Amino acid sequence: MRRIVIIGGGIMGSAIAYSLARAGIAADVTVVEPDPTYEFAATPRAVGGVRLQHAVPENVQMSLYGDTVYSAFDQHVTGGKVTFDPQFHRIGYLFLVEGAEARASLEANVRMQQALGVEVEVHDVAELRRRYPSFSFKGAEIGALSPDDGQIDPNAALMGYRRAAEGLGITFVKDRVVALEMQGNRVTLARLESGATLPVEIVINTANCWAADVCAMVGVTIPIAPMRRQQFHFLSQDAVETFPAMRYLNGFAVRQHSGVYLCGHTNFGEPPGFNWDLQHEVFEEQLWPQLAEQCQAFETIKPRGGWVGHYDMNHLDGNPVIDWIGAVPNMLLCAGFSGHGLQHAPAVGRAVKELILDGGFRSIDLSRFSWQRIVDGTPIQDDGPKA
Ligand SMILES: Cc1cc2nc3c(=O)[nH]c(=O)nc-3n(C[C@H](O)[C@H](O)[C@H](O)COP(=O)(O)OP(=O)(O)OC[C@H]3O[C@@H](n4cnc5c(N)ncnc54)[C@H](O)[C@@H]3O)c2cc1C
């Protein structure tokens, strides 16, 4: 029997556990997750976008697989005593840019996405105003519109994966890993907060915003740290036509979401780390003026609060590590998803199963998301949106 310990039972740990269970080795796998309510975890705090527009081809491929799984979840994620419906629906995304460099980069990314099978087209602002007449598109020259991009309920996806993994025989232990013991360069034992221990042959670090703490247990430093993302809700008195999730070059983003509107904000200048404050003044002073500038109906909105979550931001290049850690060859790191892990979890679950059981990536070659690039300090070139 292999002893595989997964540290962190969010969507990533649960999707990996599910894939390993489907491969028939559920008895070998234990997931350690301290909080079955997931109060501070990223997954239930995600917005739920499954966007197909990315600048790195592997991210597009992983999103396409996420689309396949989430759009037919009841066929792909089975085995649980109860079933969950992540309510996949297609909302579309629209990325808006101005300036020669940004235009060229967006157009190149669109060509790459089209070659991978994504339905995406570049439109000028005149065409966009014709389609979405409530919007001014001030500050944009062109936009890339991908109408098939999806939206899901993140919590239902998480619980669907977790319950299916449990139904197939995976054990979830309500506890926290507090130390990892090593012999030579290999982890051999996980010590839990309760005092219990788990023998280890393979350990998978899916602790997301806490992944650096887990790496520190084996003396490894990673450039991944929590980054606050604030989400604000509002209502509009005046009707606005259905529109896709829109995102401007400066990071300003607005979408329709479960009967309200939603605006997200990341301040890349603030120090990394947990910060649970929701800054209503950011909405009042920075976001609302931009909303009103883009859409006249949004001058008279009713703010409805919001929530805070944290990205596991990879400060090297905004992309994940999905690889064995060289210095600790039986530890797999799956973290650094930097705001797009929910849509990639199905692909990561499958990829990690391939790394462990097949000896390497088989479905999508994710070797670019290597540990070695962290060691070498060589970032992946990614000119897509960072959050
Ligand atoms: C506001 C916001 C919006 C987002 N929107 C999107 C989106 O639209 N689309 C998208 O694809 N992604 C989005 N994301 C990103 C997405 O939520 C994450 O990439 C994804 O949920 C990460 O899943 P995870 O399982 O790695 O992390 P988590 O859900 O955070 O789970 C990690 C788990 O590890 C556990 N843990 C920590 N330390 C230990 C330990 N020592 N021992 C045991 N367990 C431990 C924690 O309790 C936690 O439950 C968003 C994120 C935020 C914050």
Side-chain angles (χ1 to χ4, degrees), residues 66-78 85-86 88 90:
D67 179 303
T68 300
V69 171
Y70 287 136
S71 64
F73 200 66
D74 58 340
Q75 292 163 41
H76 289 277
V77 182
T78 56
D85 177 4
F88 182 95
R90 301 199 183 276

Side-chain angles (χ1 to χ4, degrees), residues 49 68 74 118 167 171 173 187 219 221 238 252 268 280 296 316 321 337:
T68 300
D74 58 340
V118 177
T171 303
V173 174
V187 179
T221 305
D238 298 324
F252 173 71
F268 285 94
H280 294 278
Q296 209 177 2
L316 180 70
V321 176
F337 291 90

Side-chain angles (χ1 to χ4, degrees), residues 11-293:
I11 189 88
M12 221 49 88
S14 296
I16 292 168
Y18 175 75
S19 291
L20 293 173
R22 273 275 157 238
I25 61 161
D28 297 354
V29 181
T30 304
V31 182
V32 184
E33 169 55 56
D35 179 13
T37 74
Y38 295 99
E39 182 179 4
F40 298 109
T43 305
R45 291 170 184 266
V47 170
V50 182
R51 70 172 151 98
L52 304 174
Q53 290 197 52
H54 290 272
V56 174
E58 290 87 340
N59 283 331
V60 179
Q61 291 174 292
M62 286 203 288
S63 287
L64 284 166
Y65 187 63
D67 179 303
T68 300
V69 171
Y70 287 136
S71 64
F73 200 66
D74 58 340
Q75 292 163 41
H76 289 277
V77 182
T78 56
K81 290 198 180 79
V82 285
T83 53
F84 289 81
D85 177 4
Q87 299 182 359
F88 182 95
H89 55 289
R90 301 199 183 276
I91 58 161
Y93 268 69
L94 175 60
F95 286 86
L96 296 147
V97 300
E98 66 172 345
E101 198 181 324
R103 288 177 63 134
S105 145
L106 187 80
E107 285 166 346
N109 288 337
V110 163
R111 284 193 295 277
M112 175 272 288
Q113 292 151 10
Q114 288 170 335
L116 290 172
V118 177
E119 193 192 324
V120 52
E121 296 281 353
V122 175
H123 300 291
D124 63 17
V125 162
E127 171 60 16
L128 293 172
R129 286 196 190 116
R130 196 189 63 73
R131 289 178 182 231
Y132 310 109
S134 298
F135 288 84
S136 69
F137 297 108
K138 206 165 171 203
E141 291 170 353
I142 57 168
L145 177 65
S146 45
D148 281 349
D149 296 25
Q151 171 86 36
I152 60 166
D153 171 349
N155 200 50
L158 165 57
M159 295 319 295
Y161 265 121
R162 177 169 173 160
R163 294 288 178 252
E166 288 173 324
L168 294 174
I170 298 274
T171 303
F172 278 66
V173 174
K174 183 177 176 300
D175 215 325
R176 182 185 304 277
V177 173
V178 290
L180 293 170
E181 286 187 8
M182 301 179 72
Q183 279 176 15
N185 62 357
R186 298 182 75 81
V187 179
T188 52
L189 192 85
R191 288 202 175 277
L192 309 186
E193 202 169 41
S194 63
T197 58
L198 290 170
V200 169
E201 281 177 35
I202 290 173
V203 61
I204 306 176
N205 180 352
T206 50
N208 191 43
C209 287
W210 300 268
D213 301 337
V214 172
C215 281
M217 294 175 194
V218 294
V220 168
T221 305
I222 57 174
I224 297 171
M227 173 174 272
R228 176 172 59 162
R229 174 83 174 164
Q230 302 184 63
Q231 299 288 163
F232 299 94
H233 283 149
F234 63 92
L235 298 173
S236 174
Q237 285 178 348
D238 298 324
V240 175
E241 67 274 8
T242 301
F243 63 91
M246 294 185 188
R247 194 190 293 250
Y248 286 76
L249 205 51
N250 68 358
F252 173 71
V254 60
R255 67 169 72 196
Q256 287 156 325
H257 186 78
S258 306
V260 297
Y261 298 93
L262 195 62
C263 215
H265 176 77
T266 302
N267 175 4
F268 285 94
E270 78 181 26
F274 287 109
N275 177 350
W276 296 99
D277 288 344
L278 183 70
Q279 296 172 293
H280 294 278
E281 68 277 14
V282 165
F283 184 77
E284 296 276 332
E285 294 162 17
Q286 295 179 35
L287 301 180
W288 195 345
Q290 292 183 76
L291 287 165
E293 187 178 50

